[in-house]
Amino acid sequence: MLKKLKRRVKTIITKPFKKPRKPHKPPNTKSPSPSPSPSPPDSPKLEPEPPPTMEPQHSKKLPTFPFLFPKAQSTVLPDPSLFFAPSLLSSPLPTNSFFQNFTLKAGDQPEYIHPYLIKSSLSSLSVSYPSRFHNPSFIYQVFNADLIISASNNTEPSSRKSHIISSYSDLSVTLDMPSANFRFFLVRGSPFLTCSIVNNTPVSISTIHAILSCDANNSLTKYTIKLNNNQTWFLYSSSPISLSQNDVSLLTSGGFTGIIRIAVLPDFDPQYQSILDRFSSCYPVSGDAVFTKPFCLEYKFQKKGWGDLLMLAHPLHLNMLSIDDSDVSVLEDFKYKSIDGDLVGVVGDSWVLKPHSVSVTWHSINGNREESYDEIISALSKDVKALNSTPITTNSSYFYGKLIARAARLALIAEEVSFPDVIPAIRKYLRETIEPWLDGTFNGNGFLYDGKWGGIVTKQGSLDSGADFGFGVYNDHHYHLGYFLYAIAVLVKIDPVWGRKYRPQAYSLMADFMNLGRRENSNYPRLRCFDLYKLHSWAGGLTEFADGRNQESTSEAVNAYYSAALMGLAYGDTHLVAIGSTLTAMEIQAAQTWWHIREEDTLYDNDFTRENRVVGVLWANKRDSGLWFAPPDWRECRLGIQLLPLSPISEVLFSEVGFVRQLVNWTLPALGREGVGEGWKGFVYSLEGIYDKESALQKIRNLNGYDDGNSLTNLLWWIHSRGKEEEEECSGGGKFCWFGHYCH
């Protein structure tokens, strides 16, 4: 019996990490051959069961009906049926995706699908290879309708909706235009815009510019279109198409059935044209990202046509791309410009990405010296005593979450400094403050389940789109729920009996933004906030923005996945630990790539780099130095919002000491401004403590207030755990993975 039990335990622990025995079968989006059905609403279900990897391994023993909060009756959510095909409406739908603008209001705001800005309107699709505007305050890409693709014979009234989303995946979305007989495969990172046309439809190609020339090859399968804005575009077709120029800005064809592909020439180097020619016959129709093992993500592009697939990688892709594990070749001299940095050609339909490993820990990496314990314990005793004397008065899910996470930090610090006397009081406080939200007895707010899009909303947010910072329209979910998960993870650690009782509710909160499933019977969309192409999260939710999705606080995003990993540790769930740690690692590297701006960086334009050490709000199509709640010159707020909440994972996020020194020196003058909050000062001094411990310690001791998610105890814990000699980085797992020393 014991031997059988051992075999069973081994199977449970190792099964999610076994390599698949069979090759991965890509999702069947039923994208058409050159003659697809023109009825997109009948498109099949998008996401089949995944292969046996770290992706969910659904067992018959898993609960058939996981916990759901009471049903919401939202008055503020938009109707998803306006743009999603009927076959998709039975599944949870994305609410923070790269194509979200295509699902909101008229669906006619552009989205950045690298390397093009794409806009769908009135049964036509406009493509822009954007120019960039920049100054010291912001950078954005300018949309101009460089080419507009439509059907010449389209007589549908302009009031008809412009497109239907017939399928989507991690790296792609398929737009169908029934009235035009068009299907567009919008796959991220494709240098070609690919369109399938049926029913012998006449094609119209127009532009806001003047067409200087339009020259065809002998077989009428390639056209070179030169515009008066100094752009050259190529149009490739799967069969001959006869384009004629009707006026200075319009090309039309006779009836056509087949595939057309359009690409801009990004550089006048002759090799660029030959590369586009060589790869014009192989096109992607969708793309999936698969978690194959911890700290490893594999892209699998489904392709059609013949030959090899050409795609584009952004700088973070190139940083993570494992050439040894991928059957790809990098074309280092083939580049498209982008607000995210140069996009470089990669040939191959399967990429393996490996972020730096991150060790998720409850406590500080290096610990505190014993001589610092007395000061920390003195502050800790006062902060714990104050928990009962200052009850929580807010009913905001965000600020409430910060307060309970703050209390949870006190318990972990008590463990770290060997002062368990205060833990019972903290445990009691956490039980009393968390349970009402999980039981549905909290007065004034609470969690509900929305079945329309598939996710958790708050009572306040279901009636007011501005309440709880837009939580009711799926804004900032990872921020709010990340704080709740942190507090829950700590409470499960110190009170396992409580943890077992509330495990269904805890996992429901986690799944709202970290569900990996692709099945119809899932209650939540796949990775609500995390963008598997950009490799960081978005906020924004179901609100239309001209510049696409956005994210302000990277540190709160990191906290969300870190907290989920901690919850996995508390429950002994190795799968959750692995996924949470992997997402944490990628979010950190993305923050260090696109939000943190070093003086010597060249990714952004010189005037913006010179003026800024950190981005305020990062948009899909814009970089802004301002914050949602503060102007650009409130630099202490910019630093603070990229650091809070201060916890052990902050050590990894701000592990580059040279940059930290630049950031603090850039921020310190702003503290002389009248009215600067003590809480924001605390975050600045925290980072200063990384390289000047004594100076920062004196400043923190003189503070007379703290951020609502912070405390004197937490600040002292942080400063006293600085200053020890850092471990040398090693190839086996990075600076903060000790086992890396033994992986040679």
Side-chain angles (χ1 to χ4, degrees):
M1 183 66 187
L2 183 58
K3 289 181 179 179
K4 290 182 179 179
L5 180 61
K6 286 181 177 178
R7 285 198 297 269
R8 176 65 178 151
V9 170
K10 182 179 179 182
T11 301
I12 293 172
I13 292 175
T14 61
K15 185 178 179 182
F17 302 96
K18 287 182 179 178
K19 292 184 178 179
R21 294 179 181 175
K22 297 180 181 179
H24 171 51
K25 183 180 180 182
N28 179 16
T29 56
K30 293 246 177 122
S31 38
S33 58
S35 300
S37 164
S39 304
D42 296 328
S43 300
K45 300 175 180 65
L46 172 69
E47 298 177 346
E49 194 170 337
T53 62
M54 270 178 60
E55 304 284 335
Q57 303 299 300
H58 298 281
S59 165
K60 292 180 181 179
K61 296 199 174 186
L62 288 178
T64 307
F65 300 104
F67 175 84
L68 290 180
F69 288 96
K71 189 174 182 179
Q73 300 294 331
S74 175
T75 61
V76 298
L77 286 169
D79 181 4
S81 68
L82 295 177
F83 294 104
F84 286 99
S87 60
L88 300 178
L89 295 175
S90 59
S91 302
L93 298 169
T95 59
N96 281 279
S97 78
F98 66 94
F99 61 87
Q100 208 67 55
N101 275 346
F102 297 158
T103 74
L104 301 171
K105 295 188 176 179
D108 59 355
Q109 286 298 311
E111 286 285 19
Y112 186 41
I113 300 178
H114 301 66
Y116 302 116
L117 281 170
I118 303 291
K119 182 176 181 179
S120 171
S121 179
L122 304 179
S123 295
S124 68
L125 189 132
S126 302
V127 57
S128 171
Y129 182 52
S131 59
R132 192 158 66 232
F133 177 86
H134 57 89
N135 63 29
S137 298
F138 53 84
I139 306 170
Y140 68 87
Q141 295 183 137
V142 180
F143 176 87
N144 286 307
D146 294 323
L147 291 181
I148 305 162
I149 302 98
S150 58
S152 302
N153 62 348
N154 187 4
T155 58
E156 290 287 343
S158 60
S159 59
R160 183 182 174 109
K161 59 188 177 185
S162 60
H163 62 255
I164 293 171
I165 295 170
S166 59
S167 67
Y168 61 89
S169 65
D170 298 327
L171 307 173
S172 68
V173 61
T174 301
L175 293 189
D176 290 345
M177 297 183 175
S179 62
N181 297 317
F182 289 171
R183 171 171 283 183
F184 290 94
F185 302 110
L186 304 179
V187 183
R188 305 178 78 184
S190 174
F192 300 90
L193 174 68
T194 304
C195 179
S196 175
I197 303 171
V198 296
N199 293 348
N200 202 36
T201 301
V203 178
S204 168
I205 307 250
S206 58
T207 175
I208 64 166
H209 313 294
I211 299 172
L212 301 181
S213 63
C214 178
D215 300 319
N217 64 0
N218 292 334
S219 61
L220 300 181
T221 55
K222 177 189 174 185
Y223 285 81
T224 302
I225 304 167
K226 294 186 177 181
L227 308 179
N228 71 342
N229 68 339
N230 210 32
Q231 286 183 347
T232 297
W233 292 78
F234 301 119
L235 183 147
Y236 302 89
S237 58
S238 59
S239 58
I241 182 172
S242 179
L243 285 177
S244 58
Q245 186 167 350
N246 293 54
D247 64 33
V248 71
S249 298
L250 176 65
L251 302 171
T252 58
S253 78
F256 178 78
T257 296
I259 300 291
I260 63 169
R261 307 194 74 198
I262 295 171
V264 74
L265 181 66
D267 190 285
F268 291 108
D269 188 327
Q271 72 164 339
Y272 278 58
Q273 181 174 174
S274 64
I275 290 172
L276 290 170
D277 289 349
R278 190 194 325 161
F279 296 103
S280 63
S281 298
C282 180
Y283 60 97
V285 294
S286 70
D288 279 320
V290 182
F291 293 92
T292 54
K293 56 186 176 181
F295 305 108
C296 187
L297 183 69
E298 185 171 354
Y299 285 177
K300 294 177 179 290
F301 294 102
Q302 183 184 356
K303 63 181 183 178
K304 293 197 172 185
W306 59 91
D308 293 325
L309 182 65
L310 173 64
M311 300 297 289
L312 300 172
H314 57 57
L316 188 53
H317 284 145
L318 296 174
N319 184 271
M320 294 185 184
L321 187 62
S322 178
I323 299 296
D324 293 339
D325 299 294
S326 307
D327 185 17
V328 300
S329 54
V330 178
L331 308 181
E332 295 181 355
D333 295 325
F334 182 78
K335 298 178 181 179
Y336 281 68
K337 66 180 186 294
S338 166
I339 195 170
D340 295 312
D342 286 344
L343 306 176
V344 176
V346 175
V347 179
D349 53 37
S350 179
W351 306 4
V352 174
L353 305 174
K354 292 186 174 181
H356 300 315
S357 300
V358 169
S359 293
V360 168
T361 62
W362 295 104
H363 304 128
S364 62
I365 293 170
N366 289 320
N368 284 267
R369 298 179 187 274
E370 285 193 35
E371 54 264 32
S372 68
Y373 284 10
D374 288 346
E375 183 177 21
I376 296 173
I377 289 171
S378 175
L380 177 61
S381 299
K382 294 176 183 176
D383 282 333
V384 172
K385 185 177 180 180
L387 290 178
N388 291 326
S389 60
T390 53
I392 297 177
T393 57
T394 181
N395 59 10
S396 159
S397 56
Y398 175 75
F399 291 113
Y400 196 101
K402 288 184 70 176
L403 288 169
I404 59 175
R406 173 188 179 275
R409 284 288 310 129
L410 299 178
L412 294 181
I413 293 170
E415 287 184 344
E416 194 167 340
V417 298
S418 302
F419 190 64
D421 300 12
V422 295
I423 291 179
I426 301 170
R427 179 169 57 239
K428 178 176 181 291
Y429 176 86
L430 289 175
R431 291 180 65 159
E432 291 175 350
T433 53
I434 295 172
E435 284 181 15
W437 284 82
L438 304 186
D439 288 337
T441 58
F442 182 70
N443 186 29
N445 207 352
F447 293 127
L448 302 172
Y449 178 77
D450 157 51
K452 184 183 290 186
W453 289 83
I456 294 172
V457 296
T458 57
K459 291 179 181 178
Q460 291 183 153
S462 67
L463 303 175
D464 178 0
S465 62
D468 293 324
F469 294 104
F471 194 91
V473 289
Y474 293 103
N475 180 55
D476 289 357
H477 269 217
H478 53 328
Y479 294 170
H480 298 222
L481 297 178
Y483 284 116
F484 273 86
L485 288 192
Y486 189 89
I488 288 170
V490 173
L491 184 52
V492 174
K493 182 180 189 293
I494 62 178
D495 191 346
V497 174
W498 184 93
R500 286 192 291 274
K501 178 180 179 181
Y502 285 98
R503 176 159 34 197
Q505 292 93 327
Y507 269 77
S508 187
L509 294 180
M510 176 276 299
D512 176 81
F513 68 93
M514 265 191 64
N515 174 53
L516 286 186
R518 305 169 186 266
R519 290 184 165 190
E520 276 190 12
N521 61 2
S522 175
N523 295 307
Y524 307 100
R526 179 170 161 85
L527 290 175
R528 182 183 306 283
C529 302
F530 196 84
D531 184 325
L532 287 161
Y533 182 80
K534 280 297 298 296
L535 306 175
H536 65 73
S537 299
W538 295 116
L542 298 175
T543 303
E544 181 184 64
F545 294 110
D547 290 305
R549 300 306 91 199
N550 70 85
Q551 179 162 266
E552 186 174 57
S553 176
T554 56
S555 50
E556 287 179 304
V558 168
N559 177 69
Y561 305 113
Y562 167 65
S563 298
L566 289 179
M567 195 173 87
L569 285 177
Y571 278 119
D573 187 338
T574 56
H575 195 179
L576 181 54
V577 174
I579 294 295
S581 300
T582 301
L583 293 172
T584 298
M586 290 191 287
E587 192 82 45
I588 286 172
Q589 278 189 251
Q592 293 169 341
T593 300
W594 286 303
W595 274 263
H596 298 180
I597 308 174
R598 298 147 200 84
E599 293 174 0
E600 63 275 15
D601 281 354
T602 58
L603 188 137
Y604 295 133
D605 300 281
N606 289 337
D607 50 356
F608 189 80
T609 298
R610 189 167 52 248
E611 185 65 23
N612 300 282
R613 294 284 72 79
V614 67
V615 172
V617 180
L618 186 142
W619 300 76
N621 195 46
K622 183 181 180 181
R623 303 293 182 266
D624 201 331
S625 59
L627 301 169
W628 285 106
F629 63 94
D633 59 329
W634 290 20
R635 293 180 174 182
E636 75 285 356
C637 294
R638 275 205 267 172
L639 178 150
I641 204 65
Q642 302 300 340
L643 174 59
L644 62 83
L646 195 63
S647 74
I649 201 64
S650 308
E651 301 184 53
V652 187
L653 181 58
F654 287 94
S655 58
E656 189 180 332
V657 178
F659 167 69
V660 169
R661 188 187 297 270
Q662 291 179 5
L663 176 60
V664 172
N665 289 337
W666 172 82
T667 307
L668 283 173
L671 301 188
R673 195 183 67 254
E674 184 178 355
V676 174
E678 293 286 281
W680 297 114
K681 291 179 182 178
F683 292 120
V684 179
Y685 301 152
S686 296
L687 286 190
E688 185 180 8
I690 290 177
Y691 62 88
D692 192 345
K693 178 177 176 178
E694 292 306 318
S695 172
L697 186 59
Q698 290 304 318
K699 293 174 181 177
I700 281 171
R701 287 168 175 161
N702 292 328
L703 289 173
N704 54 32
Y706 315 98
D707 178 72
D708 53 356
N710 207 355
S711 63
L712 177 59
T713 301
N714 199 41
L715 288 168
L716 291 173
W717 158 83
W718 171 267
I719 294 296
H720 282 300
S721 60
R722 303 305 96 208
K724 287 193 176 183
E725 186 176 340
E726 293 188 353
E727 299 299 318
E728 291 183 6
E729 189 166 346
C730 60
S731 61
K735 186 188 298 182
F736 298 106
C737 283
W738 273 55
F739 187 62
H741 289 288
Y742 308 98
C743 293
H744 298 296

